[in-house]
Amino acid sequence: MSVSLEKRIPVGTWRSVGLRVQGLTTAEISIGGSSIRAISVQTKGIPYRVGRIDPRNAFVIDCSPLRLLYVRPDYRGYRYAAGKVFPRTPWQVDYDHALGRQLALQLGFRYVLLLRVAPSVNRAHGAYERPPQGGKITLHKFCFADRRIMDKWLGRRPRHGGSQSSPMRYEVGGRQVFGLTLKQAGFWGYAMGVEDGPLKLTGLTAL
């Protein structure tokens, strides 16, 4: 009788969600972009309209296994859009802009990636997302997560130095690959809406 030594990962765990995003890197997901086309090209995904929501306000990029929701920074209906896209959870979550709304507006990005995070994590990062005085519009078409944003993405409190009144400045040009354990990859994928199984495109229409 042969005995399998392969370690089985139970469904419904962070590690099982991490398996869904294996092969993807943190540098492949833009957290902000200048246009629907720029983001769809960068992510190599297909853009979709969310229900009857004007795609100038919110749209989805399908790049399996990811279904990424991008919203206009000043779009007040982002929670409604998130409710149409993200699977329901048995616990409370906040739908949070990966790049702070005011900072995104200051930098000139038209769309920002939306994440689902724990409310306590969202609050802890709030003071670090205020735009600095004298900031300028960037010429970059998209931007990516830095260490502080990745901490939020993984459900961590900010670890950067500096006081809350003097938050760390976000550098637009950075594009880092952060090494993730399988469990951390599960947190990362979950924040973007990944579940154990494939996500359906119900209520979405290709643009």
Side-chain angles (χ1 to χ4, degrees):
M1 181 179 68
S2 62
V3 178
S4 174
L5 298 179
E6 180 181 354
K7 188 173 183 179
R8 297 183 181 275
I9 297 177
V11 174
T13 64
W14 292 118
R15 297 180 72 214
S16 69
V17 176
L19 286 175
R20 298 278 301 156
V21 295
Q22 272 194 323
L24 296 174
T25 70
T26 56
E28 294 178 64
I29 310 300
S30 54
I31 62 171
S34 60
S35 68
I36 297 176
R37 175 172 173 76
I39 294 173
S40 61
V41 169
Q42 188 278 314
T43 56
K44 300 179 182 178
I46 302 173
Y48 282 82
R49 180 184 186 131
V50 182
R52 296 185 178 181
I53 298 174
D54 190 330
R56 290 174 294 183
N57 290 326
F59 63 93
V60 160
I61 294 290
D62 177 42
C63 45
S64 184
L66 302 178
R67 190 176 60 187
L68 305 171
L69 175 60
Y70 289 88
V71 299
R72 205 181 74 232
D74 55 354
Y75 175 50
R76 294 185 178 276
Y78 70 92
R79 292 187 183 90
Y80 172 76
K84 294 285 188 181
V85 175
F86 284 88
R88 293 185 178 182
T89 64
W91 49 80
Q92 186 177 1
V93 296
D94 276 0
Y95 297 114
D96 185 41
H97 301 75
L99 182 66
R101 287 182 288 177
Q102 295 304 315
L103 181 56
L105 289 170
Q106 184 187 75
L107 294 172
F109 288 113
R110 294 183 62 189
Y111 299 104
V112 175
L113 177 66
L114 211 62
L115 304 174
R116 60 177 176 183
V117 299
S120 60
V121 172
N122 186 16
R123 307 294 182 272
H125 283 264
Y128 290 81
E129 298 184 335
R130 298 169 185 161
Q133 294 184 353
K136 298 180 180 179
I137 293 179
T138 179
L139 298 179
H140 291 269
K141 290 185 177 181
F142 26 75
C143 59
F144 300 87
D146 63 5
R147 170 58 67 184
R148 202 274 308 163
I149 292 174
M150 186 54 59
D151 280 343
K152 178 173 68 171
W153 212 324
L154 297 179
R156 298 169 174 162
R157 299 177 67 86
R159 294 183 296 166
H160 282 286
S163 66
Q164 289 191 347
S165 60
S166 301
M168 300 292 291
R169 180 183 289 272
Y170 174 73
E171 298 294 338
V172 179
R175 187 170 182 174
Q176 304 178 59
V177 176
F178 297 98
L180 303 176
T181 66
L182 192 57
K183 184 176 181 179
Q184 289 172 335
F187 293 146
W188 181 63
Y190 173 83
M192 294 182 283
V194 176
E195 300 280 320
D196 281 310
L199 297 174
K200 298 180 180 180
L201 296 177
T202 305
L204 303 179
T205 307
L207 293 175

